[in-house]
Amino acid sequence: KVYTALVENKEMKEMFGVLAVIQDITEMRKLENLRKEFVSNVSHELRTPLTSISGFVETLKKWTIINESDRMKILDIIEFETERLKRLINDILKLSEIENMKLIKEKTNIDVKKSISEVLYLIKPLAENKNIQLEINIGDNLKAIVGNIDWFQQIIMNLCENAVKYTVEGGKITIKATSYDEYLFISVKDTGVGIGKEDIPRIFERFYRVDKARSRQIGGTGLGLAIVKHIVMEFNGEIEVKSEVGKGSEFIVKLPYV
Ligand code: ADP
């Protein structure tokens, strides 16, 4: 975009030049488009469960005679959709908090083994429900990493929750943490459904899901990995995915100590 203006010399009452301001708006336009796309995705994602909830509430109001089993079925759907809305709103708020409040979050020396163990304590019952074996291999003398502990635990939480969600009954999840060459490496490996090569570059995008219906059914919001990516970036780290359809996936997070 080029802005031009005539520059006048008022005393002499004559024009002596043209001022041109050249501004590259490609980047601005890209950001604006991303923002618009996000708002439209959010509206769609929120509207779907809301439409279902209000539709079924109407049905309950209209049907004056309804048997107990039908009434329970409708209430179960309303409960499922309400839970989904709660998760979506939580994830949207988390994402915006990570993006907007970078400097405000308190940083400490994080005891890696202790904070991963706290997350795994919450993951264990989910894995047990699906008869999934958890193998944990975290070094005892790992150096503390500096950062915000809530965000650090959120990385582990989202990766482990996904590993459980996308692994069938009787599978196995291996969680490892090691230090090497001034980096902390955390790996979450599963024997789940795997991710196709063409999908791997896209799974960190907001709301991208390989199989929308499956993700929705198992309670996914499509924001978990976008949150992980943002936090890893905040730690100046990197994340890598190795996966094979039908065999399983491994997410490796590499965080620098300095
Ligand atoms: P969701 O809430 O749908 O799980 P995420 O952002 O956490 O959203 O993940 C995006 C998509 O990446 C998922 O919908 C799923 O298709 C795929 N995915 C993530 N983790 C795994 C995994 N461990 N195994 C297989 N697919 C996965």
Side-chain angles (χ1 to χ4, degrees):
K1 200 167 196 169
V2 182
Y3 299 97
T4 50
L6 297 179
V7 182
E8 274 179 285
N9 181 332
K10 286 214 170 92
E11 269 170 30
M12 311 266 302
K13 290 210 173 2
E14 66 182 27
M15 190 188 77
F16 66 85
V18 174
L19 174 73
V21 180
I22 302 171
Q23 195 180 9
D24 183 2
I25 62 160
T26 351
E27 201 51 39
M28 275 162 65
R29 198 165 274 162
K30 243 195 248 164
L31 283 176
E32 179 59 13
N33 285 344
L34 273 179
R35 196 192 60 80
K36 276 190 190 151
E37 193 186 305
F38 180 62
V39 171
S40 127
N41 278 336
V42 167
S43 322
H44 174 77
E45 296 286 337
L46 293 177
R47 205 174 290 133
T48 317
L50 268 178
T51 308
S52 168
I53 292 170
S54 64
F56 281 109
V57 168
E58 274 309 302
T59 310
L60 276 183
K61 277 167 92 180
K62 271 191 213 144
W63 289 5
T64 44
I65 304 167
I66 181 171
N67 67 41
E68 186 54 18
S69 131
D70 285 343
R71 197 180 72 92
M72 278 317 288
K73 262 187 217 154
I74 292 181
L75 287 175
D76 280 347
I77 298 174
I78 294 177
E79 189 181 26
F80 177 84
E81 298 292 359
T82 310
E83 285 303 317
R84 183 175 160 66
L85 268 182
K86 266 199 242 167
R87 273 196 310 274
L88 261 169
I89 291 167
N90 268 338
D91 278 357
I92 291 167
L93 290 178
K94 247 179 242 159
L95 200 57
S96 102
E97 185 190 17
I98 297 162
E99 284 179 340
N100 300 327
M101 296 182 37
K102 288 178 184 160
L103 301 171
I104 299 170
K105 280 275 193 179
E106 186 200 349
K107 292 182 179 176
T108 54
N109 282 332
I110 303 170
D111 179 334
V112 176
K113 186 163 186 154
K114 183 165 170 265
S115 57
I116 296 182
S117 303
E118 282 169 9
V119 176
L120 294 181
Y121 180 77
L122 302 174
I123 292 294
K124 260 184 197 145
L126 305 179
E128 274 166 16
N129 263 345
K130 287 180 81 178
N131 195 23
I132 292 172
Q133 187 195 338
L134 272 191
E135 188 181 308
I136 299 157
N137 191 345
I138 306 174
D140 272 323
N141 301 316
L142 288 177
K143 209 160 75 170
I145 190 127
V146 179
N148 181 268
I149 185 159
D150 296 336
W151 286 356
F152 179 77
Q153 290 186 317
Q154 191 74 57
I155 299 177
I156 317 294
M157 186 62 152
N158 289 11
L159 294 181
C160 290
E161 269 184 349
N162 277 353
V164 174
K165 280 195 294 190
Y166 300 104
T167 298
V168 284
E169 297 247 344
K172 183 177 171 188
I173 297 173
T174 312
I175 296 122
K176 277 191 204 158
T178 45
S179 319
Y180 179 74
D181 198 18
E182 286 309 302
Y183 290 97
L184 170 67
F185 289 88
I186 299 164
S187 145
V188 178
K189 189 175 175 183
D190 63 56
T191 56
V193 295
I195 307 161
K197 268 203 182 73
E198 64 291 356
D199 289 308
I200 290 183
R202 301 206 58 192
I203 53 174
F204 293 96
E205 289 173 19
R206 297 149 166 184
F207 297 117
Y208 186 80
R209 283 157 281 193
V210 175
D211 179 340
K212 234 178 176 162
R214 179 180 59 196
S215 157
R216 188 177 149 75
Q217 197 52 42
I218 53 185
T221 61
L223 291 175
L225 287 181
I227 292 174
V228 167
K229 191 184 117 189
H230 270 86
I231 303 177
V232 169
M233 277 162 54
E234 263 309 296
F235 274 84
N236 294 317
E238 288 165 31
I239 183 160
E240 186 195 345
V241 189
K242 294 177 186 165
S243 189
E244 209 176 316
V245 174
K247 293 218 165 141
S249 313
E250 181 177 13
F251 287 78
I252 304 163
V253 175
K254 177 182 171 190
L255 305 179
Y257 275 111
V258 280

